[in-house]
Amino acid sequence: MTVRVNGRVVTPTGVVRQGCVEWDGDRITAVAEYPSVRDGHWILPGFVDMHTHGGGGHTFTTGDADEARAAADFHLAHGTTTLLASLVSAPFPLMRAATEAFAPLVDEGVLAGVHFEGPYLSAARCGAQNPEYLRDPSTEELTELIELGRGAIRMVTLAPERDGALEAIKLLTGQRVVAAVGHTDATYEQTRAAIAAGASVGTHLFNGMRPVHHREPGPVVALLDAPTVICELIADGVHLHDGMLTFATATGGPDRAALITDAMAAAGMADGEYELGGQAVTVADGVARLARDGAIAGSTLTMDAALRHAVTAGIPIADAARMVATTPARAIGLGDRVGALQVGLRADLVVLDDDLNVVRVLRGGSWVD
């Protein structure tokens, strides 16, 4: 049975101010003008969060399937219809256990995949990653995880300057796993070598990276300058100044800039004491920081809040919609399934009011309670 929603529809080519989206079952069947509509709510594609550690008091980082399901439900209520479960640096047994626990959730469609942010990261740029667990990339570990996950492993973030990093990138990309550059003290040249080896994502650009210098551009410039790389950006006004957010978006364009939450369990929760990767985190005024040294420890962001922040910062809503849906979907190899209001894709959409607050969420052709 065909179902329709009317409003200001944000498509891959722009805004249809008097438009409609139709779906039958779990597939979009039409996106068209609907002249009888007079404005109405905004209709955007379902959000795609390629980097989140938890939310609603629940975490992905312990590898617990019930926690993961609850965290995914929390973000779904905020418009995120597709997400990766991001872990932080951990011992290999936990990485194995999380892969086993989350693979059935990927098969079920609760998760779009698993993202290992670490442990193959720079100690000098570890941020809130636990330095106790950092180590050089291991192709043996990665091979075991990929085989164990049966397609569940979607992305791995690593530092290209670590021994064995280029071999790991080649292994990952050869197995259709996205290799991301992040938490890195790499030089411009080392980063370009990682891109040449197949790295295609910059993990939360600027954060956890060697800063830009006019005589050593470092990873930020190498990633922004590479047409094959999509750069993650955390639009919460804490991780990035709005001027840097708009600069990076203008430089790479909305087709190469993906908004992420990098959320941890405290997203949607009250200020207080939390945990991330075995480390104590204090949340005050909605900002999460490590108790030991004050390093920013993920965020309390949701994707609808990231969208609102980006638009307030001056990014047009059509571009921001690409950045919260179309671009991240393409970054993780799902652009032919989700991420846009386009005929044939899964019927995922978010209905927003004039202030861009979530009114309703549709996932797979069904409205979310």
Side-chain angles (χ1 to χ4, degrees):
M1 181 180 70
T2 298
V3 188
R4 174 191 298 136
V5 64
N6 304 324
R8 288 166 284 180
V9 179
V10 183
T11 74
T13 56
V15 178
V16 181
R17 299 201 70 86
Q18 295 174 288
C20 71
V21 180
E22 294 182 352
W23 64 93
D24 191 348
D26 67 350
R27 297 289 132 183
I28 296 172
T29 55
V31 180
E33 291 189 23
Y34 201 72
S36 64
V37 173
R38 292 293 178 264
D39 285 334
H41 291 314
W42 289 101
I43 303 171
L44 271 64
F47 306 146
V48 179
D49 193 354
M50 57 191 284
H51 187 157
T52 177
H53 301 286
H58 306 282
T59 185
F60 295 124
T61 61
T62 58
D64 182 279
D66 290 337
E67 284 278 297
R69 191 182 295 275
D73 283 345
F74 166 78
H75 285 289
L76 179 59
H78 288 271
T80 299
T81 52
T82 301
L83 60 72
L84 299 186
S86 299
L87 289 98
V88 291
S89 297
F92 186 63
L94 176 54
M95 298 172 74
R96 274 187 53 92
T99 302
E100 288 183 306
F102 291 168
L105 298 184
V106 176
D107 292 339
E108 188 181 333
V110 174
L111 306 174
V114 176
H115 165 216
F116 286 112
E117 187 184 12
Y120 315 124
L121 309 174
S122 163
R125 305 290 175 188
C126 65
Q129 299 282 336
N130 194 330
E132 181 181 336
Y133 301 134
L134 302 183
R135 54 191 184 273
D136 289 334
S138 165
T139 53
E140 291 78 14
E141 287 184 356
L142 290 170
T143 297
E144 187 172 343
L145 292 172
I146 291 168
E147 291 177 351
L148 187 64
R150 307 182 313 280
I153 308 302
R154 181 65 60 173
M155 184 164 69
V156 176
T157 297
L158 47 72
E161 71 273 23
R162 295 209 71 135
D163 289 345
L166 296 186
E167 291 78 5
I169 291 170
K170 292 173 183 176
L171 168 69
L172 291 167
T173 56
Q175 294 294 319
R176 301 174 66 85
V177 177
V178 176
V181 171
H183 286 281
T184 175
D185 200 41
T187 64
Y188 176 81
E189 289 76 17
Q190 287 171 322
T191 308
R192 284 178 60 87
I195 295 166
S200 58
V201 166
T203 294
H204 46 52
L205 194 73
F206 300 104
N207 300 115
M209 291 186 179
R210 177 196 289 250
V212 175
H213 188 277
H214 56 285
R215 285 190 293 272
E216 170 44 65
V220 171
V221 174
L223 293 164
L224 268 180
D225 193 46
T228 58
V229 172
I230 289 172
C231 299
E232 297 178 348
L233 299 167
I234 308 174
D236 63 353
V238 176
H239 285 78
L240 294 177
H241 186 283
D242 285 354
M244 198 60 86
L245 171 67
T246 55
F247 165 78
T249 301
T251 301
D255 288 333
R256 291 190 47 233
L259 297 187
I260 61 165
T261 63
D262 196 23
M264 46 90 72
M269 303 296 288
D271 288 354
E273 305 303 314
Y274 295 87
E275 181 268 347
L276 182 67
Q279 301 180 102
V281 174
T282 299
V283 178
D285 296 325
V287 179
R289 295 184 181 275
L290 287 185
R292 63 176 168 82
D293 63 6
I296 298 176
S299 84
T300 60
L301 194 61
T302 54
M303 286 296 272
D304 57 327
L307 174 79
R308 288 192 294 273
H309 191 100
V311 171
T312 300
I315 296 173
I317 189 168
D319 289 347
R322 296 184 75 83
M323 294 165 68
V324 295
T326 314
T327 301
R330 185 163 46 84
I332 57 176
L334 298 177
D336 60 342
R337 305 183 208 175
V338 297
L341 298 180
Q342 186 173 312
V343 173
L345 298 192
R346 195 172 74 192
D348 295 347
L349 59 81
V350 186
V351 180
L352 304 169
D353 64 19
D354 285 344
D355 296 320
L356 303 183
N357 295 306
V358 174
V359 176
R360 299 185 80 184
V361 179
L362 184 84
R363 186 179 191 274
S366 298
W367 293 109
V368 175
D369 292 334

